[in-house]
Amino acid sequence: QNEKRTKMDTPIASIIQQRPIFVNSTDSLSHTLHALVENKIHSVPVFDVEKQSFVAFVDLMDFAMHLGKTYLENQVIEGSITRMLEEERHYNTIQIANESNRDPWVTVNDLTTFHQVVNVMLTGRLHRVAVFNDENQLCGVFTQRDAIRFLAQHPKLLGDLLQQTVRQLNLGVQEVISVEEGTQAWKAFILMNQKQVSGVAVVEPKTGKLKGNISSADLKAVDFNKELMQQLRSTVSEYLTGRSHHEMSPAGTVHLGDTVATVIQNFVTSRKHRLFIMDEQHPDGHAVGVITLSDVLRLVFNLHTLSGNRNDRPTCLPKKTWIQHCIQQGQKSQDTWWTTCFL
């Protein structure tokens, strides 16, 4: 138990891997999208030049929403993505930050423990938080993937849960949101925002057999030098295979009989953000559920909360659209660590 508590109290400063990359509020949309693609990241902090402080995240889904509203709805179909964004001189990065309403700006201190930050992320339904030190310097971004990687490195944190199966835990029991492979790509991105998910299954028409997965990260698949709308108006299948000229990459999957240990390892090795659940007793190719990174993290939080090991967790207050969790500066004791401010 002491070893588990020690690991749960690991400061996130020692866990984060992403170096502190950021863009300025006045940067052009073209510059910021290139920064996301070139650094192979989904989201980046925005530094407000006027306020001289970091104020928001901007992510790939924000660009998908902006492009959809600005061009697709107005039937504008000519021009490469680079040309379109460069022509938008009246827009800058801060104006589309969190346009998708999926990536609120939440900050934590770098001495925040693993257990505390998982609580923050689950309470606020967050994919990531910005990490700052006591000098208010950006240290990096802590993501759900960082948390899953930490669990894989320290499996004892899950104890006996590791050997329980997806079926036993009812893990991932939720609607599988999907699009047929002949659906236009831009409609898949719009559906993600409407359903407030970061990815959906791609299925065969009529049969519903799982073929793949499309997510906000796939916006990085656009060819900057080709007609943007031609790419987004292509079918999901064509969009996902357009640059590789190969078959669509298979979706990440697990079976109802797989253990939690297998699920975690699959997340780490595949680098996917969701795993679709297949029923080995009914091999018809239909997904019966989907496991997200949040589902696995919830297992950890519930285990260590219900076990009575923790008395320092933040109070779970009513959910709001925008949540700002602030560390009280200068107070490092476990009982006075948190304040929770709703904007």
Side-chain angles (χ1 to χ4, degrees):
Q1 291 292 349
N2 287 337
E3 182 182 355
K4 286 183 182 181
R5 182 178 179 105
T6 299
K7 292 301 181 185
M8 292 298 286
D9 286 340
T10 300
I12 57 173
S14 63
I15 302 175
I16 54 176
Q17 291 192 340
Q18 181 181 316
R19 66 186 189 278
I21 301 169
F22 67 91
V23 295
N24 289 321
S25 57
T26 53
D27 285 341
S28 69
L29 301 186
S30 177
H31 170 87
T32 297
L33 184 56
H34 274 87
L36 289 168
V37 173
E38 290 170 2
N39 287 286
K40 299 180 179 180
I41 53 178
H42 297 174
S43 178
V44 65
V46 180
F47 182 78
D48 191 311
V49 175
E50 183 177 342
K51 296 179 179 178
Q52 286 294 294
S53 64
F54 289 94
V55 295
F57 284 117
V58 63
D59 63 20
L60 289 168
M61 187 59 78
D62 295 329
F63 278 93
M65 293 304 99
H66 176 73
L67 292 168
K69 292 176 182 177
T70 305
Y71 295 107
L72 289 164
E73 292 179 3
N74 295 318
Q75 302 295 307
V76 178
I77 59 175
E78 295 182 355
S80 68
I81 186 169
T82 298
R83 191 183 107 194
M84 284 182 172
L85 294 180
E86 286 180 346
E87 287 179 350
E88 291 195 323
R89 301 190 185 281
H90 55 291
Y91 276 104
N92 54 34
T93 295
I94 194 62
Q95 290 173 286
I96 72 162
N98 202 38
E99 187 163 328
S100 65
N101 290 317
R102 286 186 46 79
D103 212 357
W105 178 246
V106 176
T107 68
V108 295
N109 185 271
D110 62 346
L111 296 181
T112 305
T113 68
F114 176 76
H115 183 270
Q116 289 172 322
V117 79
V118 168
N119 185 12
V120 170
M121 296 174 83
L122 291 175
T123 302
R125 293 178 139 187
L126 308 173
H127 295 282
R128 58 189 57 81
V129 294
V131 182
F132 288 81
N133 61 23
D134 286 341
E135 286 70 48
N136 206 29
Q137 297 171 324
L138 178 67
C139 301
V141 175
F142 184 86
T143 68
Q144 289 185 340
R145 180 160 297 286
D146 290 321
I148 293 296
R149 189 183 302 110
F150 184 76
L151 286 181
Q153 294 169 348
H154 305 286
K156 290 183 179 180
L157 290 175
L158 282 169
D160 295 338
L161 270 180
L162 279 177
Q163 300 311 313
Q164 294 194 47
T165 66
V166 173
R167 179 183 283 108
Q168 289 173 322
L169 293 169
N170 254 359
L171 193 60
V173 178
Q174 56 187 295
E175 176 190 6
V176 179
I177 302 169
S178 64
V179 295
E180 294 183 351
E181 54 187 338
T183 302
Q184 289 181 316
W186 74 272
K187 291 183 179 180
F189 289 121
I190 295 297
L191 178 64
M192 291 176 215
N193 192 55
Q194 292 173 340
K195 296 291 187 178
Q196 288 294 287
V197 295
S198 56
V200 296
V202 179
V203 300
E204 282 185 351
K206 297 182 180 179
T207 68
K209 182 178 180 180
L210 182 66
K211 295 287 290 183
N213 169 78
I214 184 169
S215 71
S216 57
D218 289 310
L219 188 62
K220 291 184 291 187
V222 296
D223 189 324
F224 283 83
N225 299 313
K226 290 184 178 180
E227 294 284 324
L228 171 64
M229 295 305 116
Q230 180 182 345
Q231 295 178 72
L232 291 181
R233 286 181 183 274
S234 64
T235 67
V236 168
S237 179
E238 292 169 341
Y239 178 82
L240 292 176
T241 60
R243 298 185 74 175
S244 63
H245 303 293
H246 296 112
E247 291 186 2
M248 191 187 313
S249 299
T253 60
V254 291
H255 292 90
L256 285 169
D258 286 337
T259 64
V260 171
T262 299
V263 171
I264 291 175
Q265 193 55 46
N266 200 328
F267 270 127
V268 172
T269 56
S270 70
R271 296 186 60 79
K272 295 184 182 297
H273 289 76
R274 68 200 56 78
L275 299 174
F276 294 96
I277 305 170
M278 314 302 289
D279 187 349
E280 58 269 34
Q281 296 178 0
H282 301 281
D284 56 5
H286 287 74
V288 297
V290 57
I291 302 173
T292 65
L293 298 175
S294 295
D295 293 327
V296 177
L297 294 180
R298 197 168 291 110
L299 280 179
V300 181
F301 181 73
N302 289 341
L303 173 66
H304 287 269
T305 298
L306 295 175
S307 67
N309 291 339
R310 313 298 300 180
N311 57 12
D312 59 338
R313 63 185 186 277
T315 302
C316 294
L317 298 176
K319 185 176 66 178
K320 299 288 185 180
T321 303
W322 287 83
I323 302 176
Q324 177 69 49
H325 292 271
C326 313
I327 301 298
Q328 291 181 322
Q329 292 299 316
Q331 295 184 338
K332 298 298 187 284
S333 62
Q334 295 293 331
D335 58 338
T336 57
W337 191 276
W338 292 93
T339 58
T340 308
C341 316
F342 292 89
L343 303 183

